[in-house]
Amino acid sequence: MHDGGSAVECSLYDDNCPRGEKCNLYSNDTAGWYNSTQCFPVDPEPVPPGAPCVAQGNGLIGLDNCAPGSVCFVQDYEHNTGFCLGFCDGDSSDPTCSEPGTYCYQRSIDGLCLATCNPLSHYCDDGSDDSCVPIPGDGFGCLPDESGDAGAPGDPCEAHNECDPGSFCVPQEYVAKCVHPMCCTPVCDVDDPKSCPYPQSETCVAWYSDPLDAPPGLGHVGVCVLAP
């Protein structure tokens, strides 16, 4: 339980909090990502989604100056500043995002409207260090880079954003000298035969086998795999 809130569990979709409070995401075990919801006081001068914001504590305790319906997504952990991200609309079984260029990202408890992106740009266009990675059913979207000191091509991974920006996580058989079930490999442009670092031993294969399944204009996004 965090000071300043009513400790009422709540729904991001309904915001069933008492007057003067908002339903917000937070981490109840000091984990590196949100894993629960609770009612917290609304800041006296709340700022809207997309605006710069300030969070308290480590940025994951639920106290921030974002308006109801949004959370402060921290980018600068030294000063606990970032920008407000809106929550998904609809309901948990059919979440949507009304703002153009966004998609609803759900990971356990949360439903955040994050930006779509072009993986060939590596980083996201919002000025953050987030990675542009494949999102099942949603094309490509921005997620926090969780690679840490690892994430280089050939390094082990379990999720795409555990690789450095500009790389995806693929099965072992596609990556040279990969000794783990999954490893990182560079993103490439199928229209540019030299876009892989080692064109003699790698080939650029389209991420979407059917370009019609890709987001508009991104059917040429591929990954570098061992040449057959």
Side-chain angles (χ1 to χ4, degrees), residues 25 87 133 141:
L25 292 165
F87 299 140
V133 298

Side-chain angles (χ1 to χ4, degrees), residues 7 14 67 92 99 119 132 200:
D14 300 328
S92 57
E99 185 178 353
C132 184
Q200 292 79 18

Side-chain angles (χ1 to χ4, degrees), residues 97-123:
C97 286
S98 57
E99 185 178 353
T102 62
Y103 72 100
C104 181
Y105 176 67
Q106 288 190 297
R107 173 176 168 181
S108 65
I109 191 70
D110 52 314
L112 289 171
C113 290
L114 301 181
T116 55
C117 54
N118 180 349
L120 294 175
S121 298
H122 297 181
Y123 292 99

Side-chain angles (χ1 to χ4, degrees), residues 45-184:
E45 298 181 359
V47 295
C53 60
V54 179
Q56 294 187 30
N58 62 356
L60 295 172
I61 68 171
L63 293 167
D64 60 42
N65 66 335
C66 293
S70 60
V71 64
C72 187
F73 194 67
V74 173
Q75 297 292 320
D76 181 348
Y77 287 96
E78 182 179 355
H79 302 97
N80 285 338
T81 57
F83 55 93
C84 296
L85 286 180
F87 299 140
C88 303
D89 306 312
D91 57 57
S92 57
S93 62
D94 186 25
T96 60
C97 286
S98 57
E99 185 178 353
T102 62
Y103 72 100
C104 181
Y105 176 67
Q106 288 190 297
R107 173 176 168 181
S108 65
I109 191 70
D110 52 314
L112 289 171
C113 290
L114 301 181
T116 55
C117 54
N118 180 349
L120 294 175
S121 298
H122 297 181
Y123 292 99
C124 291
D125 296 332
D126 57 12
S128 71
D129 290 335
D130 291 351
S131 297
C132 184
V133 298
I135 305 296
D138 288 293
F140 303 108
C142 298
L143 285 181
D145 175 11
E146 297 184 354
S147 61
D149 294 332
D155 283 355
C157 55
E158 293 183 358
H160 293 301
N161 63 327
E162 291 181 358
C163 297
D164 291 337
S167 293
F168 292 166
C169 187
V170 301
Q172 176 190 58
E173 60 266 27
Y174 297 113
V175 183
K177 299 181 180 179
C178 176
V179 295
H180 301 273
M182 304 281 285
C183 286
C184 301

